[in-house]
């Protein structure tokens, strides 16, 4: 086995062994090659070097996976009931916890994220599996008043039962691969669905490890199927498949639209977690000791490749200069490097292609007349490392303010008013509505702004406050439905109303 150089950083023997493969598709409980026999390389974004080759699935493999999921849905999985499903999810949680170090390193080398984020991600995955193991016990219907025409002639009983939607297609992006996969897979399985997971072609590895552990934990064959593949082939086939009852998708708003069109054939249910361009409002009384690092990380966390990123900053003119000075100092202090280095705060962008888009957005902001306060140019080293980049003097119509860049690029606008309606109008001037934050020491201002901001999540004096039990999702073009918490379970359940004439 040739050692892969990770910028001079060592990885665990278990990581080296896993990377050496093989990496195949999981269909009906068996690891198989794609029917076309094709493979795809996956790279370490920090070095650009190939770290593994993965079997590539296409439409025929999606057909096989959907058939396996359908068979499992009507077979052993449906007979297992809540206790059996809960026990398997809990067993998988323990397996992930045992392999936490391996998962952490796979996320770092496949995605480029810094170690502190990868570690958090993996502990969240364990938490989510445990949470939905418990939630499986709390799937409950109601009893209600029987309809008049039945109750008028006989004693009657009406109640509802919750049933799984069926076969669910889970389409996952590359920015937090294992966490995004599990926040769909855990509630889907708890609800009693069977699943076909389509990882991002850029980051399949941790999801393949999860599949291996799920088999070891004892999930019946066909309950979890994993088909690596390209979006335009495997992804499109899954979204359009007549045998799929529900698609849960996380990714860009553009792909979300394609998924909606593809789903019309059999009118499958669709949940969408899409893009964002979230507002961060800094009021004149904000505590800058909190706001400086908080606002910086709202934009730069995960290299800005974060759907919740707060990238539109609105700051009151009275503290604009103080905030800007703090943000520039904080940004210049951020350590960029390989995610395996514990000192790294910011890693590379996922790929050269994505890096080119981010750098193009920076060029465009300059051409539009925004003022560059720091960053703006990639580092001269392998991998596309773009340092924290701050633009001031931004105006509402600029592309840097309107378009999701999905990179470490902050656009600052200043305002002069303290009128909450006027400030909220600035914050809401976006096609998106995923996250947002307000920085103030006034409880009244905080509540008034929270009530006016049109977003699925608004935090005060912090940003992006997600949690396993807290519903998360978008207003406007940021998506349909909610993930996390009980809401995520609802997305994989149908309600059946039953009336008995006694
Ligand atoms: P993407 O839309 O390019 O791809 C996401 C997934 O969809 C991948 O698995 C891809 O292969 C697949 N895909 C691509 N085209 C498809 C098609 N036509 N049919 C079916 N599947 C297809 O997104 P990305 O670049 O991987 O991720 C970045 C985007 O994801 C950003 O816009 C970001 O805001 C969004 N995102 C949103 C959330 C959220 O919770 N709202 C979380 C993370 C990322």
């Amino acid at each position: 086995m040739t050692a892969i150089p990770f910028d001079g950083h060592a990885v665990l023997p278990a990581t080296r062994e896993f990377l050496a493969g093989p990496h195949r598709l999981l269909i009906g409980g068996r690891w198989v090659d794609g029917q076309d026999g094709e493979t795809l390389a996956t790279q370490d974004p920090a070095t650009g070097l190939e770290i593994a080759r993965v079997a590539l699935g296409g439409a025929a493999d999606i057909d096989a996976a959907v058939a396996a999921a359908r068979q499992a849905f009507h077979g052993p999985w449906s007979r297992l009931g809540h206790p059996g499903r809960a026990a398997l999810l809990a067993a998988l949680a323990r397996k992930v916890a045992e392999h936490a170090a391996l998962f952490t390193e796979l996320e770092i080398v496949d995605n480029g994220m810094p170690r502190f984020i990868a570690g958090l991600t993996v502990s969240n995955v364990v938490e989510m599996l445990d949470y939905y193991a418990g939630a499986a016990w709390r799937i409950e219907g109601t009893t209600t008043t029987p309809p008049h025409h039945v109750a008028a002639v006989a004693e009657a009983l009406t109640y509802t039962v919750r049933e799984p939607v069926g076969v669910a297609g889970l389409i996952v992006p590359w920015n937090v691969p294992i966490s995004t996969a599990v926040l769909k897979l855990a509630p889907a399985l708890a609800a009693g669905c069977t699943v076909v997971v389509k990882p991002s072609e850029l980051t399949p590895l941790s999801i393949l490890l999860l599949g291996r552990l799920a088999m070891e934990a004892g999930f019946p064959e066909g309950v979890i199927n994993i088909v690596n593949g390209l979006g335009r082939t495997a992804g499109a086939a899954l979204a359009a498949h007549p045998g799929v009852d529900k698609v849960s998708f996380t990714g860009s708003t553009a792909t979300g639209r394609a998924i909606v069109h593809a789903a019309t054939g059999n009118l499958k249910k669709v949940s969408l977690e899409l893009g964002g361009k979230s507002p961060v409002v800094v009021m004149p009384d904000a505590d800058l000791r909190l706001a400086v690092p908080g606002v910086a990380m709202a934009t730069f966390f995960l290299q800005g490749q974060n759907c919740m990123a707060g990238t539109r900053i609105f700051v009151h003119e009275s503290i604009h200069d103080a905030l800007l000075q703090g943000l520039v100092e904080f940004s210049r202090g951020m350590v960029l490097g390989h995610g395996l280095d514990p000192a790294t705060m910011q890693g590379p962008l996922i790929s050269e292609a994505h890096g080119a888009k981010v750098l193009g957005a920076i060029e465009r902001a300059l051409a539009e007349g925004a003022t560059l306060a720091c960053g703006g140019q990639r580092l001269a080293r392998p991998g596309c490392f773009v340092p924290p980049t701050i633009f001031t003097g931004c105006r509402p119509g600029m592309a840097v303010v309107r378009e999701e860049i999905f990179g470490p690029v902050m656009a600052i606008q200043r305002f002069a008013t303290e009128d909450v309606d006027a400030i909220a109008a600035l914050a809401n001037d976006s096609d998106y509505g995923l996250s947002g934050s307000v920085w103030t020491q006034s409880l009244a201002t905080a509540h008034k702004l929270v009530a006016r901001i049109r977003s699925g999540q608004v935090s005060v004096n912090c940003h992006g406050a997600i949690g396993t039990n807290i519903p998360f999702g978008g207003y406007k073009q940021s998506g349909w439905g909610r993930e996390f918490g009980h809401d995520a379970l609802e997305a994989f359940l149908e309600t059946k109303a039953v009336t008995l004439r006694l």
Side-chain angles (χ1 to χ4, degrees):
M1 196 188 309
T2 349
I4 304 161
F6 293 107
D7 245 1
H9 299 285
V11 293
L12 297 166
T15 305
R16 279 207 305 278
E17 214 173 287
F18 184 88
L19 290 176
H23 307 292
R24 304 167 92 189
L25 317 178
L26 178 59
I27 297 179
R30 293 176 48 239
W31 292 97
V32 296
D33 289 325
Q35 294 189 25
D36 294 340
E38 289 180 36
T39 61
L40 184 73
T42 182
Q43 281 100 11
D44 173 0
T47 62
L49 298 175
E50 177 176 325
I51 55 171
R53 283 202 85 79
V54 175
L56 197 62
D61 304 291
I62 291 288
D63 280 345
V66 172
R70 176 64 58 196
Q71 202 178 345
F73 180 71
H74 294 299
W77 192 236
S78 64
R79 291 193 290 277
L80 210 54
H82 299 169
R85 298 202 299 267
L88 283 170
L89 283 165
L92 184 55
R94 301 287 73 74
K95 290 260 176 206
V96 174
E98 281 162 26
H99 294 78
L102 173 56
F103 272 109
T104 301
E105 288 197 347
L106 289 181
E107 290 298 71
I108 294 170
V109 299
D110 210 10
N111 164 279
M113 64 177 72
R115 186 177 279 282
F116 78 95
I117 298 180
L120 269 177
T121 297
V122 177
S123 50
N124 286 346
V125 164
V126 175
E127 192 177 277
M128 284 190 268
L129 289 164
D130 277 331
Y131 177 92
Y132 288 103
W137 287 90
R138 294 192 297 277
I139 297 172
E140 289 161 352
T142 54
T143 53
T144 187
T145 312
H148 296 307
H149 67 279
V150 180
V153 293
E155 267 187 59
L157 174 66
T158 296
Y159 61 91
T160 62
V161 283
R162 309 305 307 280
E163 296 181 346
V165 169
V167 173
L170 313 180
I171 303 180
V172 178
W174 46 260
N175 65 330
V176 236
I178 191 65
S179 163
T180 314
V182 170
L183 77 85
K184 299 178 183 306
L185 175 134
L189 297 176
C193 294
T194 54
V195 302
V196 178
V197 187
K198 211 297 279 171
S200 165
E201 51 272 48
L202 298 175
T203 54
L205 297 179
S206 55
I207 297 172
L208 294 175
L209 173 60
L210 186 81
R212 186 192 289 184
L213 298 182
M215 291 298 98
E216 285 176 21
F219 277 86
E221 57 189 42
V223 171
I224 300 174
N225 303 276
I226 304 174
V227 181
N228 314 309
L230 305 178
R232 64 173 186 278
T233 52
L238 186 57
H241 204 289
V244 173
D245 302 294
K246 154 103 196 180
V247 164
S248 174
F249 168 77
T250 298
S252 62
T253 295
T255 308
R257 279 199 189 90
I259 303 265
V260 170
H261 286 298
T264 54
N266 67 337
L267 289 178
K268 57 176 65 69
K269 311 282 187 283
V270 178
S271 302
L272 303 171
E273 295 288 349
L274 306 176
K277 188 81 190 178
S278 295
V280 174
V281 177
V282 187
M283 296 300 287
D285 66 342
D287 179 348
L288 287 180
R289 287 168 307 175
L290 284 181
V292 167
V295 172
M297 291 309 278
T299 303
F300 302 132
F301 184 82
L302 202 57
Q303 292 82 261
Q305 298 176 145
N306 165 18
C307 55
M308 294 176 294
T311 45
R312 288 185 300 133
I313 316 302
F314 300 93
V315 53
H316 192 271
E317 62 179 9
S318 62
I319 57 161
H320 173 275
D321 293 355
L323 179 75
L324 179 62
Q325 189 188 346
L327 289 174
V328 169
E329 276 167 23
F330 184 94
S331 302
R332 291 197 170 132
M334 279 187 75
V335 179
L336 274 67
H338 200 291
L340 289 168
D341 184 341
T344 294
M345 292 174 75
Q346 193 189 304
L349 298 179
I350 186 70
S351 65
E352 284 296 331
H354 182 59
K357 283 191 206 155
V358 172
L359 292 164
I362 291 173
E363 287 300 313
R364 193 158 163 206
L366 288 168
E368 285 176 318
T371 306
L372 186 66
C374 66
Q377 286 195 325
R378 70 183 288 176
L379 303 188
R381 55 153 292 167
C384 188
F385 284 82
V386 176
T389 296
I390 300 179
F391 284 104
T392 59
C394 298
R395 293 185 303 278
M398 290 178 170
V400 72
V401 166
R402 305 215 71 81
E403 290 172 14
E404 182 185 49
I405 297 172
F406 225 53
V409 183
M410 177 186 285
I412 301 183
Q413 300 177 66
R414 61 169 85 203
F415 59 85
T417 179
E418 291 194 35
D419 178 273
V420 286
D421 286 311
I423 297 167
L426 295 171
N428 289 332
D429 183 15
S430 170
D431 291 339
Y432 297 108
L434 191 58
S435 184
S437 56
V438 175
W439 300 77
T440 176
Q441 297 186 61
S442 156
L443 209 50
T445 307
H447 276 295
K448 286 178 185 173
L449 280 169
V450 165
R452 286 163 174 77
I453 292 176
R454 303 278 301 156
S455 272
Q457 175 196 63
V458 189
S459 314
V460 176
N461 296 327
C462 55
H463 188 92
I466 48 167
T468 301
N469 59 324
I470 304 170
F472 176 76
Y475 284 26
K476 302 194 260 181
Q477 293 183 32
S478 288
W480 290 351
R482 294 292 176 271
E483 291 192 311
F484 292 104
H486 201 79
D487 291 45
L489 201 59
E490 290 290 327
F492 292 99
L493 290 168
E494 297 276 22
T495 301
K496 179 181 282 175
V498 182
T499 292
L500 285 87
R501 178 175 165 168
L502 301 170

